[in-house]
Amino acid sequence: MTTGEPAVAVAGLVKRFGDVTAVQGIDFTVASGEIFGFLGPNGAGKSTTISMLCTLLRPTAGTAQVAGHDVLRERDDVRRNIGLVFQDPTLDGYLSGEQNLRFHAELYGVPRAAVADRMRQVLEMVGLWERRRDKVQTYSGGMKRRLEIARGLLHSPRVLFLDEPTVGLDPQTRASIWDYIRQLQAAEQITIFMTTHYMEEAEFCDRIAIMDSGRIVALDTPEALKASVGKDRVQLHTDDAEAAIAALKERFDLDAAVREGAVTFAVPGGEEFVPRLFAELGMPIRSVSVARPSLDDVFMSYTGTTIRDAEGSSRDWMRMAARGRA
Amino acid sequence: MTATTATEVVRVQVPERSVRHDLRAVKIVFHRELLRFWSDRMRMISGLIQPALWLLVMGTGLSSLMATGGGEVDLKTFIYPGVCAMTVMFTAMFSAASIVWDREFGFLREMLVAPVSRGAIVVGKCLGGAFVATAQGVVIVAMAGLAGVPYDPLLMLTLVGELFLGAFALTAFGVLLAARITNMQSFFAIMQMAMMPMLFLSGALYPLSGLPGWLAVLTKLNPLTYAVEPMRQAVFSRLDLSPELERAFNSGVTWNGWPVPVWLQLVMVAVMGLGLLGVAVVQFRRGD
C-alpha cells in the first residue's frame, strides 16, 4: 500500500559528537505505509538516527524529511505527524494510563470532541482498556510498552517510530507487541520505522537497513538480503577447533572461524557438502548443523561478525572502560 | 459509543500550532502538577507538619531565649511571616525538582517532543509549582492563631497573594536550575547551597535591624528579603506595638536610608520571577 510521497527521505545524514562520528553520512527513503527496520548492534547509530528524524537531535550535516517536512526547518510539522515509542520508558508512573494519554492528547492539541473515542480505540487495541484507571507504576513492563505504543498512536501520526520496541520483554510479550504492530499497520495505514537488534523481528519488516558503525551496509527486503548471501551456514563441533579451521582451509579452501562457540563457515549447497566434510576433513566430528541463510548470515556477510558477537565485544569494551574509570 | 473494529478508525487531526494550543498545553502541565501533588499524600502530610514544627518548636525555643528582651511581641509572631515564606520556598523547590525527576524518568522527553512551545511547558510547570506551594502556604496561613496573628480576612488574602508571588519567583528559579542540572543529587545540593543562606539572610528568622554593616548589605542583596518583608509589614500592621518594639522587630528595608515601599518590593519579586522564567524558557529552547 505504498503511495506517492515517501514517509521518510534521508540524504547524506551525519551526526558527530565531538570526535566521535555516530552516523557517517547515510541515505535512504521509506515509502509510505511500509514497515521499515533498522538492524544493527547496540552503538551502531540506530538510536542517533531515529533521534535526528524525530527532531530531538540536530544533524551535523545532511538533510532529512519526515512526512514531507524538513526535520530542521519544519520541526513542529514533523512533530505533529510522528508518534514515538522510545527505548526507555517515558510514562508518568504516578498517573493512571488514562491520565497519561489525556496529557498527551492535550499536549498535541487533539480536538476535544475526538479525545474520548480515540483514547478508547487505542487502549482497546493494546488491551489496556480495563486497566486504564490504574496507576502506571502498577503495570508490568509489557503493559507499559503497550501503553507507550497506544500513546504514540493517539494523535494519528503518519509515521510511528519505534526504538527497540520489544527490548527487555519476555518472548510472549514480544510476540504480542508484534501482533499489535501488524494490526496497527493494517488498521491505521501508517508507516512504521523501527530499530531492533533481534534478527527474528527484522524478518517482519518490509525492508531492512543493516547498520554497522554508523553506516548502512545493506538495504533490501529480508528475502532479497538472504538470497544475496547464497550460501548455507555450517557449524560444527570437534575436539580441536583450531585444527579444524586449519583443515578446512587446507582441504576445502574455506574460511572458518569460531562463532558462538562453534566452528562456523559458509558454503554453497551446505547439505551436499556434509558427506564430503566427513569423508575428507580427516578428524573426528562431534556434531554438524546446516542452516539456510538467515538474517544473521546476512549480517555476518556484510559486517564480518554476528550481531551477538558484535554486542558482546562492545559490552566487554564498555565493562573495561568502566573498570578503567573506577 | 460504538465498539471500534480494526476497520473503523477514529482519525484525529493535530492542528497547526496556535496560541490556543499553547494555552491548552500550559493547562495540562499545570493540571499534572496538581494531580501529582494530590496523589502524593506523604508529601502533603510532611508539608503540613514541617511549618507547624518550625512555628511551634523554633518559635517557642527562640522566645525563651528572648524572654529577657521584655515586651509584648511573641517571637512566634515575629517569625510567622518567615515560616510562611519558608514553607512555600521548600514546596516550590520540590516542584521545580520534579523537572529533574521527569528527566530521569524520561517523562520530560514526552513533553519536549510535543509540537508545543517550550515556553508553554515551562510556564505550566512554574504556575503549577507556585499554585501547589501556595496551597501549602494557605495551610500555614490558617495557623495564624498559633502565632498570635489575628484572623483578619484582608490580612489572610494579602498573605496568600504575597505567598503566590514569592512561590512563583522561587519555582521559576528552581526550573531555571533544573534546565541545566540533570541529576537529582546535584540539584538538591545546589538548592540547599542557595536556599540556606537566602533563608538566613532574609529576615525570616531574626530581625534585620542592628546587624553589622556587611551583613546588612548582604540581606539587601538577597531577593528573598523582598518576599518576606511585605508579609511582615502586613502582619505587623495588624498588631498594636510600642514604637520601640516596632523599631526592633519591624525596621523595614532601607536603601541608603530610604525605606523601600512595599509595592516596590512586590514589583521587584514579580519582575524577578518573570525574568527567571524568561531565562528558563531560553535555556529549555537551547537544550535541543
Side-chain angles (χ1 to χ4, degrees), chain B residues 69-277:
Chain B
E72 319 98 85
V73 176
D74 190 339
L75 200 79
K76 282 206 283 271
T77 315
F78 173 78
I79 69 166
Y80 177 72
V83 172
C84 288
M86 218 164 64
T87 309
V88 166
M89 190 170 171
F90 279 103
T91 315
M93 282 298 185
F94 264 99
S95 293
S98 74
I99 286 197
V100 183
W101 195 261
D102 283 346
R103 195 194 307 271
E104 276 185 11
F105 284 85
F107 195 76
L108 189 65
R109 200 132 63 124
E110 149 79 354
M111 292 194 263
L112 295 185
V113 294
V116 292
S117 76
R118 299 289 154 97
I121 291 163
V122 174
V123 169
K125 201 84 191 176
C126 284
L127 287 178
F131 189 87
V132 165
T134 310
Q136 199 81 271
V138 166
V139 174
I140 186 129
V141 165
M143 291 180 192
L146 293 177
V149 174
Y151 285 105
D152 175 342
L154 189 64
L155 171 64
M156 302 286 120
L157 274 179
T158 312
L159 287 179
V160 170
E162 286 169 351
L163 281 176
F164 181 79
L165 197 62
F168 176 74
L170 280 165
T171 316
F173 175 61
V175 169
L176 172 59
L177 279 186
R180 301 315 299 269
I181 299 167
T182 52
N183 89 60
M184 213 64 182
Q185 279 89 352
S186 339
F187 182 81
F188 276 109
I190 291 191
M191 246 171 49
Q192 294 286 351
M193 200 182 76
M195 272 165 64
M196 282 305 161
M198 258 164 73
L199 189 62
F200 284 110
L201 290 174
S202 68
L205 300 174
Y206 50 81
L208 297 180
S209 52
L211 291 180
W214 63 273
L215 204 53
V217 170
L218 284 182
T219 62
K220 281 164 203 178
L221 292 175
N222 179 6
L224 196 62
T225 304
Y226 303 98
V228 173
E229 192 55 33
M231 288 196 275
R232 172 151 310 125
Q233 298 283 345
V235 169
F236 274 66
S237 68
R238 300 301 191 286
L239 302 176
D240 193 17
L241 296 177
S242 66
E244 225 170 283
L245 281 170
E246 186 83 32
R247 252 202 312 285
F249 286 108
N250 188 25
S251 54
V253 184
T254 55
W255 288 343
N256 208 4
W258 180 61
V260 185
V262 167
W263 66 263
L264 181 59
Q265 300 189 25
L266 293 176
V267 167
M268 279 167 58
V269 174
V271 167
M272 210 146 46
L274 291 174
L276 289 167
L277 182 71

Side-chain angles (χ1 to χ4, degrees), chain A residues 25 91 94 136-137 166 205 242 261:
Chain A
L91 296 163
Y94 289 95
V136 169
Q137 58 192 358
T166 59
C205 298
E242 290 301 316

Side-chain angles (χ1 to χ4, degrees), chain A residues 142-208:
Chain A
M143 288 166 71
K144 284 184 187 156
R145 201 64 55 90
R146 270 148 52 201
L147 183 63
E148 294 221 36
I149 292 175
R151 188 179 64 181
L153 288 172
L154 192 62
H155 55 285
S156 296
R158 287 175 55 196
V159 186
L160 180 66
F161 288 92
L162 303 165
D163 194 4
E164 304 273 0
T166 59
V167 76
L169 300 179
D170 58 87
Q172 217 179 335
T173 314
R174 269 163 58 187
S176 78
I177 297 264
W178 269 99
D179 284 341
Y180 297 126
I181 292 175
R182 276 184 300 232
Q183 189 190 334
L184 162 82
Q185 193 212 12
E188 310 248 338
Q189 287 130 40
I190 66 176
T191 309
I192 295 170
F193 186 110
M194 59 176 306
T195 67
T196 183
H197 63 281
Y198 292 119
M199 290 293 172
E200 321 83 84
E201 297 195 337
E203 304 265 1
F204 296 132
C205 298
D206 295 325
R207 283 193 308 149
I208 306 167

Side-chain angles (χ1 to χ4, degrees), chain A residues 56 75-76 79-80 89-90 92 94 104 106-112 118 120-121 151 156 187-188, chain B residues 1 6 8-12 14-17 21 24 32 36 105-107 110 112-113 115-116 118 288:
Chain A
L56 279 170
R75 230 165 33 169
D76 281 334
R79 290 176 178 194
R80 282 191 294 123
T90 61
D92 186 341
Y94 289 95
H104 185 88
E106 293 292 318
L107 215 52
Y108 278 73
V110 175
R112 284 215 175 78
R118 183 69 187 160
R120 183 179 182 126
Q121 185 170 39
R151 188 179 64 181
S156 296
E188 310 248 338
Chain B
M1 195 180 293
E8 314 168 24
V9 175
V10 183
R11 283 217 162 270
V12 298
V14 176
E16 296 268 329
R17 220 167 96 182
H21 177 188
R24 240 179 119 182
R32 170 170 174 258
R36 289 200 58 160
F105 284 85
F107 195 76
E110 149 79 354
L112 295 185
V113 294
V116 292
R118 299 289 154 97
D288 61 9

Side-chain angles (χ1 to χ4, degrees), chain A residues 283-295:
Chain A
M283 58 192 297
I285 297 170
R286 283 196 279 130
S287 69
V288 179
S289 68
V290 179
R292 291 274 165 229
S294 66
L295 282 174

